[in-house]
Protein backbone atom coordinates (compact mmCIF):
# COMPACT_ATOMS: atom_id res chain seq x y z
CA UNK A 1 0.00 0.00 0.00
CA UNK A 2 1.43 3.39 -1.02
CA UNK A 3 1.80 5.83 1.86
CA UNK A 4 0.16 9.27 1.87
CA UNK A 5 3.35 11.26 1.08
CA UNK A 6 3.96 9.17 -2.05
CA UNK A 7 0.33 9.58 -3.18
CA UNK A 8 0.61 13.34 -2.77
CA UNK A 9 3.96 13.56 -4.56
CA UNK A 10 4.43 11.17 -7.49
CA UNK A 11 7.93 12.57 -8.05
CA UNK A 12 8.95 11.19 -4.67
CA UNK A 13 7.71 7.75 -5.70
CA UNK A 14 9.53 8.01 -9.02
CA UNK A 15 12.70 9.06 -7.22
CA UNK A 16 12.41 6.12 -4.83
CA UNK A 17 11.96 3.68 -7.73
CA UNK A 18 14.92 5.19 -9.56
CA UNK A 19 17.07 4.91 -6.43
CA UNK A 20 16.01 1.27 -6.02
CA UNK A 21 16.97 0.53 -9.63
CA UNK A 22 20.32 2.23 -9.14
CA UNK A 23 21.07 0.13 -6.05
CA UNK A 24 19.99 -3.03 -7.89
CA UNK A 25 22.28 -2.15 -10.81
CA UNK A 26 25.24 -1.68 -8.44
CA UNK A 27 24.73 -4.66 -6.14
CA UNK A 28 23.13 -7.31 -8.37
CA UNK A 29 26.48 -8.26 -9.98
CA UNK A 30 27.92 -8.83 -6.49
CA UNK A 31 25.00 -11.05 -5.53
CA UNK A 32 25.47 -13.03 -8.75
CA UNK A 33 29.21 -13.31 -8.06
CA UNK A 34 28.57 -14.84 -4.64
CA UNK A 35 25.95 -17.25 -6.00
CA UNK A 36 28.18 -18.44 -8.86
CA UNK A 37 31.03 -19.12 -6.42
CA UNK A 38 28.90 -21.93 -4.96
CA UNK A 39 27.41 -23.48 -8.12
CA UNK A 40 28.56 -26.85 -9.47
CA UNK A 41 28.55 -25.97 -13.16
CA UNK A 42 31.88 -24.71 -14.52
CA UNK A 43 30.18 -22.13 -16.73
CA UNK A 44 28.02 -19.57 -14.89
CA UNK A 45 24.36 -19.49 -15.76
CA UNK A 46 20.82 -19.81 -14.50
CA UNK A 47 19.26 -21.91 -13.18
CA UNK A 48 22.03 -22.85 -10.77
CA UNK A 49 23.20 -26.47 -11.06
CA UNK A 50 23.37 -27.22 -7.34
CA UNK A 51 25.72 -25.85 -4.71
CA UNK A 52 29.30 -26.86 -3.96
CA UNK A 53 32.50 -25.68 -2.28
CA UNK A 54 34.76 -27.18 -4.92
CA UNK A 55 35.81 -23.81 -6.34
CA UNK A 56 36.95 -22.66 -2.91
CA UNK A 57 38.85 -25.94 -2.53
CA UNK A 58 40.48 -25.39 -5.93
CA UNK A 59 41.36 -21.84 -4.97
CA UNK A 60 43.18 -22.89 -1.81
CA UNK A 61 44.92 -25.76 -3.60
CA UNK A 62 46.13 -23.50 -6.43
CA UNK A 63 49.09 -21.42 -5.33
CA UNK A 64 48.88 -18.75 -8.05
CA UNK A 65 46.00 -16.68 -6.72
CA UNK A 66 46.93 -17.37 -3.10
CA UNK A 67 50.47 -16.12 -3.72
CA UNK A 68 49.04 -12.99 -5.33
CA UNK A 69 46.73 -12.53 -2.35
CA UNK A 70 49.75 -12.92 -0.07
CA UNK A 71 51.62 -10.26 -2.06
CA UNK A 72 48.66 -7.92 -1.69
CA UNK A 73 48.44 -8.58 2.06
CA UNK A 74 52.13 -7.69 2.36
CA UNK A 75 52.06 -4.56 0.21
CA UNK A 76 48.73 -3.01 1.19
CA UNK A 77 49.15 -2.83 5.00
CA UNK A 78 52.74 -1.61 4.66
CA UNK A 79 51.85 1.02 2.06
CA UNK A 80 48.82 2.15 4.07
CA UNK A 81 50.94 2.50 7.22
CA UNK A 82 53.70 4.55 5.56
CA UNK A 83 51.19 6.69 3.65
CA UNK A 84 49.24 7.39 6.86
CA UNK A 85 52.38 8.46 8.74
CA UNK A 86 53.35 10.82 5.90
CA UNK A 87 49.78 12.09 5.70
CA UNK A 88 49.64 12.83 9.44
CA UNK A 89 52.77 14.98 9.46
CA UNK A 90 51.73 16.69 6.22
CA UNK A 91 48.25 17.45 7.60
CA UNK A 92 49.76 18.70 10.87
CA UNK A 93 52.14 21.03 9.02
CA UNK A 94 49.35 22.33 6.79
CA UNK A 95 46.98 23.00 9.71
CA UNK A 96 49.41 24.44 12.24
CA UNK A 97 52.01 26.40 10.25
CA UNK A 98 52.06 29.21 7.73
CA UNK A 99 54.88 28.93 5.22
CA UNK A 100 55.74 30.00 1.72
CA UNK A 101 54.33 27.71 -0.95
CA UNK A 102 51.66 26.25 1.33
CA UNK A 103 49.08 26.05 -1.47
CA UNK A 104 51.67 24.55 -3.83
CA UNK A 105 52.56 21.98 -1.16
CA UNK A 106 48.95 20.83 -0.89
CA UNK A 107 48.59 20.74 -4.68
CA UNK A 108 51.70 18.58 -5.08
CA UNK A 109 50.51 16.12 -2.42
CA UNK A 110 47.11 15.70 -4.08
CA UNK A 111 48.45 15.68 -7.64
CA UNK A 112 48.87 11.86 -7.99
CA UNK A 113 45.13 11.22 -7.61
CA UNK A 114 44.40 13.78 -10.36
CA UNK A 115 46.75 12.23 -12.93
CA UNK A 116 45.29 9.32 -14.94
CA UNK A 117 46.65 6.02 -13.54
CA UNK A 118 47.78 4.96 -17.03
CA UNK A 119 50.09 7.98 -17.25
CA UNK A 120 51.37 7.38 -13.72
CA UNK A 121 51.99 3.72 -14.52
CA UNK A 122 54.10 4.53 -17.58
CA UNK A 123 56.06 7.14 -15.62
CA UNK A 124 56.69 4.81 -12.69
CA UNK A 125 57.74 2.02 -15.04
CA UNK A 126 60.42 4.18 -16.66
CA UNK A 127 61.69 5.54 -13.33
CA UNK A 128 61.78 2.22 -11.50
CA UNK A 129 63.44 0.49 -14.47
CA UNK A 130 66.31 2.99 -14.26
CA UNK A 131 66.57 2.30 -10.52
CA UNK A 132 66.52 -1.47 -11.19
CA UNK A 133 63.44 -1.88 -9.00
CA UNK A 134 60.84 -2.71 -11.63
CA UNK A 135 59.19 -6.09 -11.21
CA UNK A 136 59.54 -6.21 -7.42
CA UNK A 137 57.08 -5.94 -4.55
CA UNK A 138 59.07 -2.97 -3.30
CA UNK A 139 58.23 -1.17 -6.53
CA UNK A 140 54.52 -1.83 -5.99
CA UNK A 141 54.88 -0.63 -2.41
CA UNK A 142 56.51 2.66 -3.45
CA UNK A 143 53.92 3.41 -6.14
CA UNK A 144 51.05 2.64 -3.81
CA UNK A 145 52.44 4.96 -1.14
CA UNK A 146 52.53 7.80 -3.66
CA UNK A 147 49.00 7.04 -4.82
CA UNK A 148 47.23 6.63 -1.47
CA UNK A 149 48.87 9.38 0.59
CA UNK A 150 46.48 12.03 -0.74
CA UNK A 151 43.20 10.40 0.39
CA UNK A 152 44.77 9.60 3.77
CA UNK A 153 45.80 13.25 4.07
CA UNK A 154 42.25 14.40 3.39
CA UNK A 155 40.82 12.27 6.22
CA UNK A 156 43.44 13.30 8.79
CA UNK A 157 43.16 16.95 7.82
CA UNK A 158 39.41 16.74 8.38
CA UNK A 159 40.04 15.52 11.92
CA UNK A 160 42.79 18.02 12.75
CA UNK A 161 40.61 20.89 11.51
CA UNK A 162 38.23 20.08 14.40
CA UNK A 163 40.96 20.49 17.01
CA UNK A 164 41.13 23.92 18.72
CA UNK A 165 44.62 25.39 18.46
CA UNK A 166 44.32 26.41 22.13
CA UNK A 167 44.74 22.77 23.20
CA UNK A 168 48.27 22.58 21.87
CA UNK A 169 49.08 26.05 23.16
CA UNK A 170 47.86 25.04 26.62
CA UNK A 171 50.22 22.06 26.55
CA UNK A 172 53.13 24.42 25.77
CA UNK A 173 52.12 26.72 28.63
CA UNK A 174 52.15 23.73 30.99
CA UNK A 175 55.75 22.99 30.09
CA UNK A 176 55.42 20.42 27.30
CA UNK A 177 57.91 20.50 24.46
CA UNK A 178 56.66 20.72 20.89
CA UNK A 179 57.23 17.00 20.41
CA UNK A 180 55.42 16.15 23.66
CA UNK A 181 52.49 18.34 22.62
CA UNK A 182 52.28 16.48 19.32
CA UNK A 183 52.53 12.98 20.83
CA UNK A 184 50.37 13.55 23.94
CA UNK A 185 47.77 16.05 22.68
CA UNK A 186 47.57 16.17 18.89
CA UNK A 187 48.14 12.49 18.19
CA UNK A 188 45.46 11.16 20.61
CA UNK A 189 42.97 13.68 19.25
CA UNK A 190 43.76 12.73 15.65
CA UNK A 191 43.75 8.96 16.33
CA UNK A 192 40.22 8.29 14.96
CA UNK A 193 41.10 10.16 11.78
CA UNK A 194 44.41 8.32 11.51
CA UNK A 195 42.67 4.96 11.85
CA UNK A 196 40.06 5.94 9.26
CA UNK A 197 42.80 7.18 6.92
CA UNK A 198 44.65 3.87 7.28
CA UNK A 199 41.54 1.87 6.41
CA UNK A 200 40.82 4.04 3.37
CA UNK A 201 44.43 3.86 2.20
CA UNK A 202 44.44 0.08 2.68
CA UNK A 203 41.27 -0.25 0.59
CA UNK A 204 42.72 1.88 -2.23
CA UNK A 205 45.95 -0.12 -2.24
CA UNK A 206 44.15 -3.47 -2.03
CA UNK A 207 42.04 -2.70 -5.13
CA UNK A 208 44.65 -0.85 -7.23
CA UNK A 209 45.30 -2.53 -10.58
CA UNK A 210 46.65 -0.31 -13.35
CA UNK A 211 49.88 0.90 -11.75
CA UNK A 212 50.54 -2.51 -10.16
CA UNK A 213 50.12 -4.09 -13.60
CA UNK A 214 52.92 -1.89 -14.95
CA UNK A 215 55.45 -2.35 -12.14
CA UNK A 216 54.76 -5.71 -10.47
CA UNK A 217 56.36 -8.01 -13.06
CA UNK A 218 56.54 -11.57 -11.72
CA UNK A 219 55.31 -10.46 -8.28
CA UNK A 220 51.67 -9.67 -9.12
CA UNK A 221 49.16 -8.40 -6.64
CA UNK A 222 45.71 -9.97 -6.51
CA UNK A 223 43.98 -7.66 -9.04
CA UNK A 224 46.79 -8.26 -11.55
CA UNK A 225 46.65 -12.04 -11.03
CA UNK A 226 42.86 -12.05 -11.49
CA UNK A 227 43.23 -10.16 -14.76
CA UNK A 228 45.87 -12.63 -15.97
CA UNK A 229 43.59 -15.59 -15.21
CA UNK A 230 40.65 -13.94 -16.95
CA UNK A 231 42.72 -13.38 -20.09
CA UNK A 232 43.78 -17.03 -20.19
CA UNK A 233 40.43 -18.77 -19.51
CA UNK A 234 37.18 -18.73 -17.57
CA UNK A 235 37.94 -20.09 -14.12
CA UNK A 236 35.07 -20.42 -11.60
CA UNK A 237 37.56 -20.11 -8.76
CA UNK A 238 37.68 -16.42 -9.61
CA UNK A 239 34.14 -16.17 -8.28
CA UNK A 240 35.41 -17.66 -5.03
CA UNK A 241 38.32 -15.24 -4.70
CA UNK A 242 35.99 -12.40 -5.69
CA UNK A 243 33.60 -13.37 -2.89
CA UNK A 244 36.44 -13.46 -0.37
CA UNK A 245 37.75 -10.06 -1.50
CA UNK A 246 34.22 -8.66 -1.39
CA UNK A 247 33.87 -9.87 2.19
CA UNK A 248 37.21 -8.32 3.19
CA UNK A 249 36.26 -5.03 1.51
CA UNK A 250 32.92 -4.98 3.34
CA UNK A 251 34.62 -5.47 6.70
CA UNK A 252 37.15 -2.72 5.98
CA UNK A 253 34.47 -0.29 4.79
CA UNK A 254 32.27 -1.02 7.81
CA UNK A 255 35.22 -0.22 10.04
CA UNK A 256 35.85 2.95 8.04
CA UNK A 257 32.23 4.05 8.44
CA UNK A 258 32.29 3.38 12.17
CA UNK A 259 35.38 5.56 12.52
CA UNK A 260 34.41 8.39 10.15
CA UNK A 261 30.73 8.73 11.02
CA UNK A 262 31.38 10.49 14.35
CA UNK A 263 33.75 12.87 12.55
CA UNK A 264 31.22 13.75 9.87
CA UNK A 265 28.27 14.30 12.19
CA UNK A 266 30.42 16.38 14.55
CA UNK A 267 29.56 14.78 17.89
CA UNK A 268 29.95 17.09 20.86
CA UNK A 269 32.54 14.84 22.51
CA UNK A 270 34.78 15.27 19.51
CA UNK A 271 34.82 18.99 20.05
CA UNK A 272 36.09 18.85 23.60
Amino acid sequence: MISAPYRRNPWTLAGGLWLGLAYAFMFLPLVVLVLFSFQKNRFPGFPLQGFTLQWYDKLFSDGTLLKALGNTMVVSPAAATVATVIAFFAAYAFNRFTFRGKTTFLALVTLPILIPPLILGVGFLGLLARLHLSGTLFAVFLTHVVLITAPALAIIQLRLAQMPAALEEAAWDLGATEWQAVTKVVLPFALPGIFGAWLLAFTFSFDEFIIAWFVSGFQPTLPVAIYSVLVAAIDPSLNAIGTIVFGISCLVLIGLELVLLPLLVGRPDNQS
Side-chain angles (χ1 to χ4, degrees), residues 12-215:
T12 303
L13 176 60
L17 292 175
W18 179 258
L19 183 63
L21 290 174
Y23 276 120
F25 180 78
M26 289 189 296
F27 291 107
L28 188 59
L30 297 175
V31 174
V32 172
L33 172 73
V34 175
L35 288 177
F36 284 165
S37 70
F38 293 103
Q39 79 156 1
K40 288 184 178 181
N41 194 1
R42 177 179 178 82
F43 298 99
F46 290 101
L48 298 178
Q49 304 296 319
F51 289 87
T52 181
L53 295 176
Q54 62 177 324
W55 309 122
Y56 289 89
D57 181 66
K58 180 182 178 183
L59 171 66
F60 288 104
S61 62
D62 181 6
T64 303
L65 290 176
L66 286 182
K67 180 182 177 182
L69 179 59
N71 290 340
T72 298
M73 295 308 296
V74 168
V75 170
S76 295
T81 301
V82 173
T84 302
V85 172
I86 295 173
F88 170 74
F89 286 108
Y92 177 78
F94 187 81
N95 279 276
R96 289 292 179 264
F97 301 106
T98 300
F99 51 90
R100 182 178 300 177
K102 185 175 181 179
T103 304
T104 304
F105 163 75
L106 184 63
L108 290 176
V109 172
T110 57
L111 188 61
I113 62 175
L114 302 177
I115 300 176
L118 183 63
I119 305 301
L120 274 179
V122 173
F124 278 128
L125 179 62
L127 174 64
L128 294 171
R130 288 182 175 274
L131 297 175
H132 305 289
L133 293 174
S134 182
T136 65
L137 279 183
F138 187 66
V140 181
F141 162 78
L142 289 177
T143 56
H144 281 196
V145 169
V146 173
L147 192 65
I148 64 181
T149 297
L153 171 63
I155 299 299
I156 297 175
Q157 189 172 344
L158 172 66
R159 177 60 174 172
L160 287 180
Q162 299 175 350
M163 178 181 173
L167 289 180
E168 194 173 1
E169 294 172 359
W172 297 339
D173 292 338
L174 293 173
T177 64
E178 292 186 1
W179 179 248
Q180 288 175 330
V182 171
T183 56
K184 296 185 178 181
V185 177
V186 179
L187 189 60
F189 186 92
L191 200 57
I194 292 173
F195 183 60
W198 189 92
L199 289 175
L200 185 64
F202 173 82
T203 303
F204 277 28
S205 175
F206 192 92
D207 294 336
E208 202 284 320
F209 164 71
I210 297 179
I211 296 177
W213 185 79
F214 275 98
V215 303

Side-chain angles (χ1 to χ4, degrees), residues 2-20:
I2 300 177
S3 61
Y6 287 119
R7 288 199 301 268
R8 288 195 300 267
N9 190 351
W11 289 108
T12 303
L13 176 60
L17 292 175
W18 179 258
L19 183 63

